[in-house]
Amino acid sequence: MGYQSVTVEYGSGKKALGTVYNCEFLVTGTVSPSVVRESSLQRLFGSATTNDAFAIRSIQVAPRSRTLTASRTLSESASKRSQPASEAPLGSTGKGSSFARFTAYENDRRITADGALVPGTYATTWFDALLYVRTGEEAVERYALPDPTPAKYRFKIDPPACTPYREGVVQPSYEHEGGGAEVLFEQGTAPRTVTDRKELPER
Amino acid sequence: MRTKLSKHWMDYLLTQPESGMGYQRVDVEMSDGTILSDCLVYNASEIELPRNEALKTIVKVSIHRSRSKG
């Protein structure tokens, strides 16, 4: 959704595989759209130039079957490289990064009275939450939660820049596929970083 | 069977890391010496125990360290 796999022919006669996002931005190479992160795209779009467009002679959209095969191969490869957040390298949040936490409990005990997350608390990226999870049951599946009760309470977390965290991928477990982004705030977050709570439909 | 933990263990588990979003995997020692491995605790407050263990007193809780999940 939102991209096309293409073959580009340049004025020099050279050809390259690529992906066009939003009918607007061309990225050459064989990166699967399913493993491109939103932050990467935002950086990409911010630094995009139009110079190459003048040198392109033709663009052919790849047949869907080839697109799916290539995408599946790359996704499987990426999946093998994916690791849970607990084993991912330590990073830090950027300015304006947002996260979400899903729970079946209206009173989430990992959130303090002053709106902080206690150390060692898991969440997901706001992007992952908005794009993939519309119900409490979807949260259970995507984040492989052992409690079958729909995790219908979604908390928004807006930590300041440079908050340390680890980011990885939820591994399949408890008979759920997982696959969602997971982040681990080993040191928690500052007060007043849990900014919103929304109750989603259960299913 | 899901059982509510005592305040002592609830407060203790809030100082311990989660195993995933909203849950912790713990090893539990009961008052009669029974040790239960890899039990699930939700929201640092409710633990899943076998029915025949649920009425016993918990004397020790520690975070389960194995990587593989259920």
Side-chain angles (χ1 to χ4, degrees):
Chain A
M1 187 161 61
Y3 68 89
Q4 294 161 299
S5 293
V6 297
T7 302
V8 180
E9 184 179 356
Y10 293 100
S12 63
K14 184 182 163 192
K15 290 185 177 179
L17 296 175
T19 306
V20 173
Y21 295 91
N22 196 34
C23 298
E24 191 174 4
F25 296 98
L26 167 68
V27 181
T28 53
T30 53
V31 177
S32 165
S34 62
V35 298
V36 173
R37 292 183 180 179
E38 179 195 34
S39 57
S40 307
L41 281 177
Q42 286 173 343
R43 281 201 303 275
L44 199 64
F45 294 173
S47 63
T49 65
T50 55
N51 295 347
D52 283 351
F54 297 110
I56 291 172
R57 181 186 293 167
S58 70
I59 296 180
Q60 274 193 313
V61 177
R64 184 163 171 76
S65 58
R66 197 185 90 194
T67 305
L68 290 175
T69 305
S71 177
R72 191 177 303 124
T73 304
L74 287 163
S75 292
E76 285 167 1
S77 168
S79 171
K80 286 174 188 166
R81 289 197 308 270
S82 302
Q83 55 190 347
S86 58
E87 296 171 15
L90 191 63
S92 59
T93 58
K95 187 180 178 187
S97 300
S98 292
F99 302 87
R101 179 170 161 86
F102 290 90
T103 172
Y105 294 82
E106 188 171 10
N107 173 28
D108 186 342
R109 299 189 71 247
R110 307 287 303 190
I111 300 171
T112 64
D114 61 0
L117 293 181
V118 300
T121 298
Y122 276 83
T124 186
T125 62
W126 186 243
F127 178 74
D128 197 279
L130 281 191
L131 195 60
Y132 297 105
V133 179
R134 289 157 299 180
T135 67
E137 285 189 345
E138 287 179 352
V140 170
E141 182 63 32
R142 185 159 180 81
Y143 306 116
L145 305 182
D147 186 354
T149 310
K152 64 180 181 179
Y153 296 103
R154 185 188 70 196
F155 294 87
K156 188 176 185 207
I157 305 149
D158 294 304
C162 300
T163 301
Y165 79 119
R166 298 180 193 274
E167 180 172 352
V169 175
V170 178
Q171 304 298 300
S173 52
Y174 305 109
E175 300 177 357
H176 299 301
E177 285 191 15
E182 68 175 1
V183 300
L184 173 57
F185 291 103
E186 284 184 333
Q187 297 171 36
T189 62
R192 294 178 297 282
T193 51
V194 180
T195 56
D196 186 38
R197 191 200 75 186
K198 182 174 182 181
E199 184 175 349
L200 304 178
E202 290 193 355
R203 53 184 60 87
Chain B
M1 172 175 188
R2 202 174 291 200
T3 305
K4 195 165 178 71
L5 288 163
S6 68
K7 185 174 185 311
H8 171 76
W9 293 120
M10 286 167 57
D11 290 346
Y12 168 73
L13 284 170
L14 270 190
T15 69
Q16 299 299 304
E18 289 188 306
S19 308
M21 194 153 52
Y23 69 95
Q24 290 162 304
R25 299 164 63 201
V26 299
D27 298 329
V28 180
E29 183 177 340
M30 313 303 282
S31 53
D32 65 353
T34 304
I35 293 176
L36 303 170
S37 177
D38 203 3
C39 300
L40 287 164
V41 173
Y42 306 119
N43 200 32
S45 61
E46 296 179 3
I47 187 168
E48 288 278 6
L49 291 174
R51 186 170 293 275
N52 59 330
E53 303 288 347
L55 294 178
K56 296 178 186 172
T57 303
I58 294 172
V59 296
K60 185 179 179 186
V61 176
S62 55
I63 295 295
H64 184 73
R65 295 295 173 189
S66 165
R67 281 180 54 196
S68 59
K69 295 182 182 178

